[in-house]
Amino acid sequence: SQKIEQNSEALNIQEGKTATLTCNYTNYSPAYLQWYRQDPGRGPVFLLLIRENEKEKRKERLKVTFDTTLKQSLFHITASQPADSATYLCAPGGATNKLIFGTGTLLAVQP
Amino acid sequence: DAGVTQSPTHLIKTRGQHVTLRCSPISGHKSVSWYQQVLGQGPQFIFQYYEKEERGRGNFPDRFSARQFPNYSSELNVNALLLGDSALYLCASSSGPDFGQPQHFGDGTRLSIL
């Protein structure tokens, strides 16, 4: 069955550093992959979408890569700030016409 | 513009009861999807409706049903509630049926089953 894996443990980094979050998928060939941010008690908020024919996508301090050979997406936040602390969810999609979310990675940026 | 709104925000039910959750999509959005999120997990897809037709269904029992109204709002119904149905129920809207576009989520309904 399709499986989405994200860093299971929380990621703690210092303010100003680059945070890198990993999303691996198996038994799946998504046409695109989305990243969302979720704060406690709130719904997910869309951040970036990258398609299978794109290697990299950027938006302000955010960068996403998509390696269909490795079956992996990396999500980078540069110059991280305490306000970036949240859970980040990856969601590959495509052939099955639905999004399959990973369990999320909790990012904590220390001042 | 208002975002996706869900009601109620919190709900407490007992086993065996049924529940109806409501969702109003962003104005102009015709696709509504429902997700269940249990603590510590990512959202799990339940249904998608587009133009009042069911377009997709996740791996949930028949106790779960939904519908979409002519104004594109939607209801999720769950019958014969079980303790395991306790979760955050999220609604997301988008302009089209394809999931290859951003999904706009509401803040969910927190359902607790006693």
mmCIF file of all heavy atoms in Angstrom, chain B residues 17-62:
data_model
loop_
_atom_site.group_PDB
_atom_site.id
_atom_site.type_symbol
_atom_site.label_atom_id
_atom_site.label_comp_id
_atom_site.label_asym_id
_atom_site.label_seq_id
_atom_site.Cartn_x
_atom_site.Cartn_y
_atom_site.Cartn_z
ATOM 1 N N GLN B 17 -24.644 7.317 18.898
ATOM 2 C CA GLN B 17 -25.349 8.479 18.344
ATOM 3 C C GLN B 17 -24.880 8.763 16.919
ATOM 4 O O GLN B 17 -23.947 8.141 16.413
ATOM 5 C CB GLN B 17 -25.106 9.701 19.229
ATOM 6 C CG GLN B 17 -25.828 9.657 20.562
ATOM 7 C CD GLN B 17 -25.716 10.978 21.300
ATOM 8 O OE1 GLN B 17 -24.620 11.531 21.457
ATOM 9 N NE2 GLN B 17 -26.850 11.485 21.777
ATOM 10 N N HIS B 18 -25.555 9.715 16.293
ATOM 11 C CA HIS B 18 -25.096 10.150 14.989
ATOM 12 C C HIS B 18 -24.775 11.644 15.065
ATOM 13 O O HIS B 18 -25.205 12.346 15.987
ATOM 14 C CB HIS B 18 -26.156 9.879 13.907
ATOM 15 C CG HIS B 18 -27.338 10.802 13.981
ATOM 16 N ND1 HIS B 18 -28.440 10.553 14.770
ATOM 17 C CD2 HIS B 18 -27.576 11.986 13.373
ATOM 18 C CE1 HIS B 18 -29.310 11.535 14.631
ATOM 19 N NE2 HIS B 18 -28.817 12.423 13.805
ATOM 20 N N VAL B 19 -24.006 12.109 14.085
ATOM 21 C CA VAL B 19 -23.568 13.502 14.093
ATOM 22 C C VAL B 19 -23.577 14.050 12.663
ATOM 23 O O VAL B 19 -23.371 13.303 11.700
ATOM 24 C CB VAL B 19 -22.150 13.614 14.711
ATOM 25 C CG1 VAL B 19 -21.095 12.964 13.813
ATOM 26 C CG2 VAL B 19 -21.793 15.049 14.998
ATOM 27 N N THR B 20 -23.845 15.336 12.564
ATOM 28 C CA THR B 20 -23.781 16.036 11.274
ATOM 29 C C THR B 20 -22.848 17.227 11.410
ATOM 30 O O THR B 20 -23.032 18.064 12.294
ATOM 31 C CB THR B 20 -25.168 16.522 10.832
ATOM 32 O OG1 THR B 20 -26.027 15.401 10.642
ATOM 33 C CG2 THR B 20 -25.060 17.295 9.520
ATOM 34 N N LEU B 21 -21.850 17.255 10.563
ATOM 35 C CA LEU B 21 -20.888 18.352 10.537
ATOM 36 C C LEU B 21 -21.102 19.143 9.259
ATOM 37 O O LEU B 21 -21.394 18.570 8.207
ATOM 38 C CB LEU B 21 -19.458 17.794 10.588
ATOM 39 C CG LEU B 21 -19.175 16.769 11.687
ATOM 40 C CD1 LEU B 21 -17.715 16.319 11.615
ATOM 41 C CD2 LEU B 21 -19.519 17.304 13.054
ATOM 42 N N ARG B 22 -20.892 20.454 9.361
ATOM 43 C CA ARG B 22 -21.193 21.324 8.225
ATOM 44 C C ARG B 22 -19.978 22.116 7.772
ATOM 45 O O ARG B 22 -19.104 22.460 8.576
ATOM 46 C CB ARG B 22 -22.336 22.263 8.582
ATOM 47 C CG ARG B 22 -23.644 21.516 8.827
ATOM 48 C CD ARG B 22 -24.796 22.425 9.206
ATOM 49 N NE ARG B 22 -26.042 21.662 9.274
ATOM 50 C CZ ARG B 22 -26.417 20.926 10.319
ATOM 51 N NH1 ARG B 22 -25.661 20.873 11.401
ATOM 52 N NH2 ARG B 22 -27.560 20.251 10.300
ATOM 53 N N CYS B 23 -19.974 22.429 6.483
ATOM 54 C CA CYS B 23 -18.835 23.121 5.874
ATOM 55 C C CYS B 23 -19.332 24.082 4.802
ATOM 56 O O CYS B 23 -20.136 23.708 3.938
ATOM 57 C CB CYS B 23 -17.890 22.097 5.260
ATOM 58 S SG CYS B 23 -16.558 22.814 4.264
ATOM 59 N N SER B 24 -18.829 25.310 4.856
ATOM 60 C CA SER B 24 -19.098 26.283 3.792
ATOM 61 C C SER B 24 -17.792 26.597 3.092
ATOM 62 O O SER B 24 -16.845 27.065 3.742
ATOM 63 C CB SER B 24 -19.698 27.565 4.368
ATOM 64 O OG SER B 24 -20.990 27.330 4.865
ATOM 65 N N PRO B 25 -17.691 26.327 1.796
ATOM 66 C CA PRO B 25 -16.428 26.548 1.095
ATOM 67 C C PRO B 25 -16.205 28.029 0.807
ATOM 68 O O PRO B 25 -17.100 28.866 1.001
ATOM 69 C CB PRO B 25 -16.629 25.781 -0.213
ATOM 70 C CG PRO B 25 -18.101 25.845 -0.454
ATOM 71 C CD PRO B 25 -18.734 25.795 0.913
ATOM 72 N N ILE B 26 -15.015 28.330 0.347
ATOM 73 C CA ILE B 26 -14.710 29.676 -0.112
ATOM 74 C C ILE B 26 -15.633 29.991 -1.292
ATOM 75 O O ILE B 26 -15.893 29.130 -2.138
ATOM 76 C CB ILE B 26 -13.237 29.769 -0.530
ATOM 77 C CG1 ILE B 26 -12.344 29.709 0.727
ATOM 78 C CG2 ILE B 26 -12.953 31.038 -1.315
ATOM 79 C CD1 ILE B 26 -10.864 29.623 0.424
ATOM 80 N N SER B 27 -16.107 31.238 -1.327
ATOM 81 C CA SER B 27 -17.006 31.641 -2.406
ATOM 82 C C SER B 27 -16.380 31.371 -3.767
ATOM 83 O O SER B 27 -15.225 31.743 -4.022
ATOM 84 C CB SER B 27 -17.315 33.141 -2.266
ATOM 85 O OG SER B 27 -18.149 33.565 -3.315
ATOM 86 N N GLY B 28 -17.119 30.676 -4.629
ATOM 87 C CA GLY B 28 -16.615 30.354 -5.958
ATOM 88 C C GLY B 28 -15.995 28.973 -6.053
ATOM 89 O O GLY B 28 -15.766 28.474 -7.158
ATOM 90 N N HIS B 29 -15.703 28.368 -4.913
ATOM 91 C CA HIS B 29 -15.139 27.014 -4.927
ATOM 92 C C HIS B 29 -16.258 25.993 -5.031
ATOM 93 O O HIS B 29 -17.235 26.040 -4.284
ATOM 94 C CB HIS B 29 -14.323 26.765 -3.658
ATOM 95 C CG HIS B 29 -12.984 27.414 -3.670
ATOM 96 N ND1 HIS B 29 -12.035 27.175 -2.702
ATOM 97 C CD2 HIS B 29 -12.431 28.294 -4.543
ATOM 98 C CE1 HIS B 29 -10.945 27.886 -2.991
ATOM 99 N NE2 HIS B 29 -11.167 28.566 -4.100
ATOM 100 N N LYS B 30 -16.075 25.024 -5.946
ATOM 101 C CA LYS B 30 -17.106 24.030 -6.169
ATOM 102 C C LYS B 30 -16.735 22.647 -5.638
ATOM 103 O O LYS B 30 -17.550 21.740 -5.652
ATOM 104 C CB LYS B 30 -17.407 23.930 -7.666
ATOM 105 C CG LYS B 30 -17.909 25.233 -8.275
ATOM 106 C CD LYS B 30 -18.183 25.093 -9.750
ATOM 107 C CE LYS B 30 -18.707 26.400 -10.336
ATOM 108 N NZ LYS B 30 -18.976 26.301 -11.779
ATOM 109 N N SER B 31 -15.507 22.490 -5.202
ATOM 110 C CA SER B 31 -15.048 21.197 -4.681
ATOM 111 C C SER B 31 -14.912 21.279 -3.168
ATOM 112 O O SER B 31 -14.320 22.228 -2.633
ATOM 113 C CB SER B 31 -13.701 20.837 -5.297
ATOM 114 O OG SER B 31 -13.152 19.704 -4.654
ATOM 115 N N VAL B 32 -15.451 20.284 -2.497
ATOM 116 C CA VAL B 32 -15.322 20.177 -1.042
ATOM 117 C C VAL B 32 -14.832 18.766 -0.720
ATOM 118 O O VAL B 32 -15.359 17.784 -1.243
ATOM 119 C CB VAL B 32 -16.666 20.436 -0.326
ATOM 120 C CG1 VAL B 32 -16.560 20.071 1.148
ATOM 121 C CG2 VAL B 32 -17.066 21.898 -0.473
ATOM 122 N N SER B 33 -13.819 18.710 0.137
ATOM 123 C CA SER B 33 -13.306 17.419 0.585
ATOM 124 C C SER B 33 -13.359 17.369 2.097
ATOM 125 O O SER B 33 -13.223 18.394 2.765
ATOM 126 C CB SER B 33 -11.858 17.226 0.132
ATOM 127 O OG SER B 33 -11.762 17.248 -1.269
ATOM 128 N N TRP B 34 -13.519 16.162 2.615
ATOM 129 C CA TRP B 34 -13.554 15.945 4.063
ATOM 130 C C TRP B 34 -12.393 15.046 4.466
ATOM 131 O O TRP B 34 -12.054 14.091 3.758
ATOM 132 C CB TRP B 34 -14.865 15.281 4.480
ATOM 133 C CG TRP B 34 -16.056 16.177 4.418
ATOM 134 C CD1 TRP B 34 -16.934 16.322 3.393
ATOM 135 C CD2 TRP B 34 -16.510 17.059 5.455
ATOM 136 N NE1 TRP B 34 -17.907 17.238 3.712
ATOM 137 C CE2 TRP B 34 -17.665 17.703 4.981
ATOM 138 C CE3 TRP B 34 -16.062 17.362 6.740
ATOM 139 C CZ2 TRP B 34 -18.377 18.639 5.739
ATOM 140 C CZ3 TRP B 34 -16.750 18.288 7.494
ATOM 141 C CH2 TRP B 34 -17.901 18.918 6.995
ATOM 142 N N TYR B 35 -11.797 15.376 5.618
ATOM 143 C CA TYR B 35 -10.673 14.617 6.147
ATOM 144 C C TYR B 35 -10.898 14.354 7.633
ATOM 145 O O TYR B 35 -11.500 15.169 8.343
ATOM 146 C CB TYR B 35 -9.361 15.388 5.985
ATOM 147 C CG TYR B 35 -8.931 15.608 4.562
ATOM 148 C CD1 TYR B 35 -9.467 16.648 3.806
ATOM 149 C CD2 TYR B 35 -7.988 14.782 3.957
ATOM 150 C CE1 TYR B 35 -9.074 16.858 2.497
ATOM 151 C CE2 TYR B 35 -7.587 14.983 2.645
ATOM 152 C CZ TYR B 35 -8.139 16.017 1.929
ATOM 153 O OH TYR B 35 -7.746 16.218 0.628
ATOM 154 N N GLN B 36 -10.368 13.238 8.105
ATOM 155 C CA GLN B 36 -10.340 12.937 9.538
ATOM 156 C C GLN B 36 -8.896 12.989 10.002
ATOM 157 O O GLN B 36 -8.008 12.397 9.365
ATOM 158 C CB GLN B 36 -10.898 11.527 9.792
ATOM 159 C CG GLN B 36 -10.917 11.128 11.264
ATOM 160 C CD GLN B 36 -11.124 9.631 11.460
ATOM 161 O OE1 GLN B 36 -10.293 8.821 11.088
ATOM 162 N NE2 GLN B 36 -12.276 9.264 12.042
ATOM 163 N N GLN B 37 -8.645 13.697 11.089
ATOM 164 C CA GLN B 37 -7.290 13.776 11.619
ATOM 165 C C GLN B 37 -7.306 13.379 13.096
ATOM 166 O O GLN B 37 -7.866 14.097 13.930
ATOM 167 C CB GLN B 37 -6.701 15.175 11.462
ATOM 168 C CG GLN B 37 -5.232 15.252 11.866
ATOM 169 C CD GLN B 37 -4.617 16.617 11.596
ATOM 170 O OE1 GLN B 37 -5.316 17.638 11.559
ATOM 171 N NE2 GLN B 37 -3.307 16.652 11.391
ATOM 172 N N VAL B 38 -6.697 12.246 13.388
ATOM 173 C CA VAL B 38 -6.555 11.845 14.786
ATOM 174 C C VAL B 38 -5.245 12.403 15.305
ATOM 175 O O VAL B 38 -4.324 12.691 14.531
ATOM 176 C CB VAL B 38 -6.626 10.315 14.956
ATOM 177 C CG1 VAL B 38 -7.970 9.804 14.460
ATOM 178 C CG2 VAL B 38 -5.497 9.618 14.229
ATOM 179 N N LEU B 39 -5.147 12.512 16.611
ATOM 180 C CA LEU B 39 -3.999 13.154 17.243
ATOM 181 C C LEU B 39 -2.695 12.489 16.831
ATOM 182 O O LEU B 39 -2.557 11.274 16.881
ATOM 183 C CB LEU B 39 -4.175 13.098 18.763
ATOM 184 C CG LEU B 39 -3.406 14.124 19.576
ATOM 185 C CD1 LEU B 39 -3.833 15.535 19.181
ATOM 186 C CD2 LEU B 39 -3.614 13.896 21.062
ATOM 187 N N GLY B 40 -1.757 13.305 16.385
ATOM 188 C CA GLY B 40 -0.440 12.794 16.031
ATOM 189 C C GLY B 40 -0.331 12.229 14.624
ATOM 190 O O GLY B 40 0.737 11.744 14.234
ATOM 191 N N GLN B 41 -1.417 12.306 13.868
ATOM 192 C CA GLN B 41 -1.425 11.788 12.501
ATOM 193 C C GLN B 41 -1.759 12.897 11.509
ATOM 194 O O GLN B 41 -2.264 13.953 11.886
ATOM 195 C CB GLN B 41 -2.456 10.663 12.364
ATOM 196 C CG GLN B 41 -2.198 9.473 13.263
ATOM 197 C CD GLN B 41 -0.945 8.730 12.908
ATOM 198 O OE1 GLN B 41 -0.653 8.480 11.736
ATOM 199 N NE2 GLN B 41 -0.147 8.393 13.920
ATOM 200 N N GLY B 42 -1.491 12.625 10.243
ATOM 201 C CA GLY B 42 -1.901 13.559 9.209
ATOM 202 C C GLY B 42 -3.364 13.359 8.861
ATOM 203 O O GLY B 42 -3.968 12.342 9.212
ATOM 204 N N PRO B 43 -3.966 14.332 8.177
ATOM 205 C CA PRO B 43 -5.366 14.174 7.760
ATOM 206 C C PRO B 43 -5.533 12.965 6.838
ATOM 207 O O PRO B 43 -4.690 12.709 5.979
ATOM 208 C CB PRO B 43 -5.643 15.473 7.002
ATOM 209 C CG PRO B 43 -4.634 16.448 7.512
ATOM 210 C CD PRO B 43 -3.410 15.636 7.804
ATOM 211 N N GLN B 44 -6.640 12.255 7.026
ATOM 212 C CA GLN B 44 -6.944 11.091 6.192
ATOM 213 C C GLN B 44 -8.199 11.394 5.381
ATOM 214 O O GLN B 44 -9.234 11.765 5.936
ATOM 215 C CB GLN B 44 -7.155 9.854 7.072
ATOM 216 C CG GLN B 44 -7.253 8.564 6.292
ATOM 217 C CD GLN B 44 -7.251 7.331 7.164
ATOM 218 O OE1 GLN B 44 -7.149 7.426 8.382
ATOM 219 N NE2 GLN B 44 -7.370 6.170 6.552
ATOM 220 N N PHE B 45 -8.103 11.196 4.085
ATOM 221 C CA PHE B 45 -9.164 11.539 3.144
ATOM 222 C C PHE B 45 -10.403 10.675 3.373
ATOM 223 O O PHE B 45 -10.318 9.455 3.456
ATOM 224 C CB PHE B 45 -8.638 11.343 1.716
ATOM 225 C CG PHE B 45 -9.650 11.541 0.624
ATOM 226 C CD1 PHE B 45 -10.047 12.815 0.245
ATOM 227 C CD2 PHE B 45 -10.188 10.449 -0.041
ATOM 228 C CE1 PHE B 45 -10.960 12.993 -0.780
ATOM 229 C CE2 PHE B 45 -11.097 10.626 -1.068
ATOM 230 C CZ PHE B 45 -11.487 11.900 -1.430
ATOM 231 N N ILE B 46 -11.589 11.360 3.446
ATOM 232 C CA ILE B 46 -12.850 10.634 3.602
ATOM 233 C C ILE B 46 -13.653 10.700 2.303
ATOM 234 O O ILE B 46 -14.041 9.671 1.736
ATOM 235 C CB ILE B 46 -13.691 11.202 4.761
ATOM 236 C CG1 ILE B 46 -12.889 11.315 6.048
ATOM 237 C CG2 ILE B 46 -14.914 10.303 4.998
ATOM 238 C CD1 ILE B 46 -13.656 11.984 7.192
ATOM 239 N N PHE B 47 -13.940 11.924 1.841
ATOM 240 C CA PHE B 47 -14.771 12.123 0.646
ATOM 241 C C PHE B 47 -14.314 13.362 -0.112
ATOM 242 O O PHE B 47 -13.753 14.276 0.465
ATOM 243 C CB PHE B 47 -16.239 12.420 1.022
ATOM 244 C CG PHE B 47 -17.039 11.265 1.515
ATOM 245 C CD1 PHE B 47 -17.435 11.205 2.837
ATOM 246 C CD2 PHE B 47 -17.439 10.254 0.664
ATOM 247 C CE1 PHE B 47 -18.197 10.149 3.307
ATOM 248 C CE2 PHE B 47 -18.197 9.188 1.119
ATOM 249 C CZ PHE B 47 -18.576 9.143 2.450
ATOM 250 N N GLN B 48 -14.620 13.378 -1.420
ATOM 251 C CA GLN B 48 -14.592 14.596 -2.186
ATOM 252 C C GLN B 48 -15.906 14.727 -2.945
ATOM 253 O O GLN B 48 -16.400 13.755 -3.529
ATOM 254 C CB GLN B 48 -13.438 14.644 -3.193
ATOM 255 C CG GLN B 48 -13.402 15.997 -3.913
ATOM 256 C CD GLN B 48 -12.715 15.952 -5.270
ATOM 257 O OE1 GLN B 48 -12.578 14.904 -5.887
ATOM 258 N NE2 GLN B 48 -12.293 17.107 -5.746
ATOM 259 N N TYR B 49 -16.464 15.930 -2.935
ATOM 260 C CA TYR B 49 -17.631 16.255 -3.735
ATOM 261 C C TYR B 49 -17.299 17.413 -4.646
ATOM 262 O O TYR B 49 -16.642 18.377 -4.241
ATOM 263 C CB TYR B 49 -18.827 16.618 -2.848
ATOM 264 C CG TYR B 49 -19.584 15.400 -2.369
ATOM 265 C CD1 TYR B 49 -19.081 14.622 -1.339
ATOM 266 C CD2 TYR B 49 -20.765 15.017 -2.976
ATOM 267 C CE1 TYR B 49 -19.750 13.492 -0.915
ATOM 268 C CE2 TYR B 49 -21.448 13.875 -2.559
ATOM 269 C CZ TYR B 49 -20.924 13.121 -1.534
ATOM 270 O OH TYR B 49 -21.585 11.991 -1.120
ATOM 271 N N TYR B 50 -17.763 17.292 -5.883
ATOM 272 C CA TYR B 50 -17.573 18.367 -6.861
ATOM 273 C C TYR B 50 -18.857 18.502 -7.653
ATOM 274 O O TYR B 50 -19.355 17.500 -8.190
ATOM 275 C CB TYR B 50 -16.390 18.072 -7.786
ATOM 276 C CG TYR B 50 -16.190 19.122 -8.851
ATOM 277 C CD1 TYR B 50 -15.691 20.376 -8.526
ATOM 278 C CD2 TYR B 50 -16.513 18.863 -10.182
ATOM 279 C CE1 TYR B 50 -15.523 21.345 -9.501
ATOM 280 C CE2 TYR B 50 -16.348 19.825 -11.160
ATOM 281 C CZ TYR B 50 -15.842 21.068 -10.814
ATOM 282 O OH TYR B 50 -15.673 22.033 -11.777
ATOM 283 N N GLU B 51 -19.373 19.700 -7.735
ATOM 284 C CA GLU B 51 -20.633 19.946 -8.435
ATOM 285 C C GLU B 51 -21.725 18.965 -7.969
ATOM 286 O O GLU B 51 -22.456 18.387 -8.770
ATOM 287 C CB GLU B 51 -20.441 19.834 -9.953
ATOM 288 C CG GLU B 51 -19.650 20.980 -10.559
ATOM 289 C CD GLU B 51 -20.511 22.237 -10.756
ATOM 290 O OE1 GLU B 51 -21.600 22.362 -10.153
ATOM 291 O OE2 GLU B 51 -20.086 23.104 -11.525
ATOM 292 N N LYS B 52 -21.771 18.761 -6.694
ATOM 293 C CA LYS B 52 -22.793 17.967 -6.001
ATOM 294 C C LYS B 52 -22.689 16.459 -6.257
ATOM 295 O O LYS B 52 -23.561 15.697 -5.841
ATOM 296 C CB LYS B 52 -24.194 18.477 -6.370
ATOM 297 C CG LYS B 52 -24.376 19.945 -6.000
ATOM 298 C CD LYS B 52 -25.724 20.484 -6.388
ATOM 299 C CE LYS B 52 -25.851 20.681 -7.881
ATOM 300 N NZ LYS B 52 -24.961 21.777 -8.370
ATOM 301 N N GLU B 53 -21.610 16.045 -6.914
ATOM 302 C CA GLU B 53 -21.420 14.612 -7.169
ATOM 303 C C GLU B 53 -20.219 14.106 -6.358
ATOM 304 O O GLU B 53 -19.207 14.802 -6.237
ATOM 305 C CB GLU B 53 -21.123 14.378 -8.658
ATOM 306 C CG GLU B 53 -22.206 14.879 -9.580
ATOM 307 C CD GLU B 53 -23.117 13.762 -10.044
ATOM 308 O OE1 GLU B 53 -22.666 12.605 -10.092
ATOM 309 O OE2 GLU B 53 -24.280 14.046 -10.345
ATOM 310 N N GLU B 54 -20.318 12.891 -5.852
ATOM 311 C CA GLU B 54 -19.190 12.295 -5.148
ATOM 312 C C GLU B 54 -18.109 11.945 -6.166
ATOM 313 O O GLU B 54 -18.350 11.194 -7.114
ATOM 314 C CB GLU B 54 -19.633 11.041 -4.399
ATOM 315 C CG GLU B 54 -18.496 10.393 -3.607
ATOM 316 C CD GLU B 54 -18.934 9.113 -2.914
ATOM 317 O OE1 GLU B 54 -19.889 9.159 -2.126
ATOM 318 O OE2 GLU B 54 -18.307 8.059 -3.190
ATOM 319 N N ARG B 55 -16.911 12.457 -5.939
ATOM 320 C CA ARG B 55 -15.812 12.227 -6.876
ATOM 321 C C ARG B 55 -14.754 11.274 -6.327
ATOM 322 O O ARG B 55 -13.940 10.748 -7.072
ATOM 323 C CB ARG B 55 -15.130 13.550 -7.235
ATOM 324 C CG ARG B 55 -15.978 14.480 -8.062
ATOM 325 C CD ARG B 55 -16.083 13.983 -9.475
ATOM 326 N NE ARG B 55 -14.768 13.937 -10.095
ATOM 327 C CZ ARG B 55 -14.397 14.667 -11.121
ATOM 328 N NH1 ARG B 55 -15.256 15.507 -11.653
ATOM 329 N NH2 ARG B 55 -13.195 14.558 -11.627
ATOM 330 N N GLY B 56 -14.762 11.098 -5.021
ATOM 331 C CA GLY B 56 -13.764 10.214 -4.424
ATOM 332 C C GLY B 56 -14.187 9.814 -3.031
ATOM 333 O O GLY B 56 -14.905 10.553 -2.353
ATOM 334 N N ARG B 57 -13.744 8.637 -2.632
ATOM 335 C CA ARG B 57 -14.086 8.122 -1.311
ATOM 336 C C ARG B 57 -12.867 7.425 -0.753
ATOM 337 O O ARG B 57 -12.215 6.645 -1.450
ATOM 338 C CB ARG B 57 -15.246 7.153 -1.426
ATOM 339 C CG ARG B 57 -15.607 6.417 -0.152
ATOM 340 C CD ARG B 57 -16.711 5.411 -0.414
ATOM 341 N NE ARG B 57 -17.998 6.073 -0.562
ATOM 342 C CZ ARG B 57 -18.957 6.053 0.366
ATOM 343 N NH1 ARG B 57 -18.773 5.391 1.481
ATOM 344 N NH2 ARG B 57 -20.103 6.661 0.160
ATOM 345 N N GLY B 58 -12.551 7.705 0.500
ATOM 346 C CA GLY B 58 -11.440 7.038 1.169
ATOM 347 C C GLY B 58 -11.884 5.747 1.813
ATOM 348 O O GLY B 58 -13.016 5.299 1.667
ATOM 349 N N ASN B 59 -10.982 5.148 2.565
ATOM 350 C CA ASN B 59 -11.233 3.851 3.178
ATOM 351 C C ASN B 59 -11.950 4.010 4.519
ATOM 352 O O ASN B 59 -11.361 3.809 5.576
ATOM 353 C CB ASN B 59 -9.903 3.107 3.347
ATOM 354 C CG ASN B 59 -10.106 1.680 3.792
ATOM 355 O OD1 ASN B 59 -11.172 1.112 3.564
ATOM 356 N ND2 ASN B 59 -9.107 1.109 4.418
ATOM 357 N N PHE B 60 -13.198 4.406 4.451
ATOM 358 C CA PHE B 60 -14.009 4.587 5.645
ATOM 359 C C PHE B 60 -15.280 3.757 5.522
ATOM 360 O O PHE B 60 -15.777 3.542 4.420
ATOM 361 C CB PHE B 60 -14.363 6.081 5.827
ATOM 362 C CG PHE B 60 -13.251 6.874 6.439
ATOM 363 C CD1 PHE B 60 -12.197 7.326 5.671
ATOM 364 C CD2 PHE B 60 -13.252 7.152 7.792
ATOM 365 C CE1 PHE B 60 -11.155 8.046 6.244
ATOM 366 C CE2 PHE B 60 -12.218 7.871 8.374
ATOM 367 C CZ PHE B 60 -11.165 8.314 7.597
ATOM 368 N N PRO B 61 -15.833 3.300 6.651
ATOM 369 C CA PRO B 61 -17.049 2.452 6.593
ATOM 370 C C PRO B 61 -18.262 3.238 6.119
ATOM 371 O O PRO B 61 -18.260 4.469 6.078
ATOM 372 C CB PRO B 61 -17.213 1.985 8.046
ATOM 373 C CG PRO B 61 -16.491 2.993 8.862
ATOM 374 C CD PRO B 61 -15.343 3.481 8.026
ATOM 375 N N ASP B 62 -19.304 2.483 5.802
ATOM 376 C CA ASP B 62 -20.538 3.093 5.284
ATOM 377 C C ASP B 62 -21.245 3.957 6.319
ATOM 378 O O ASP B 62 -22.209 4.661 5.971
ATOM 379 C CB ASP B 62 -21.494 1.992 4.802
ATOM 380 C CG ASP B 62 -20.964 1.290 3.565
ATOM 381 O OD1 ASP B 62 -20.060 1.863 2.920
ATOM 382 O OD2 ASP B 62 -21.444 0.191 3.253
#
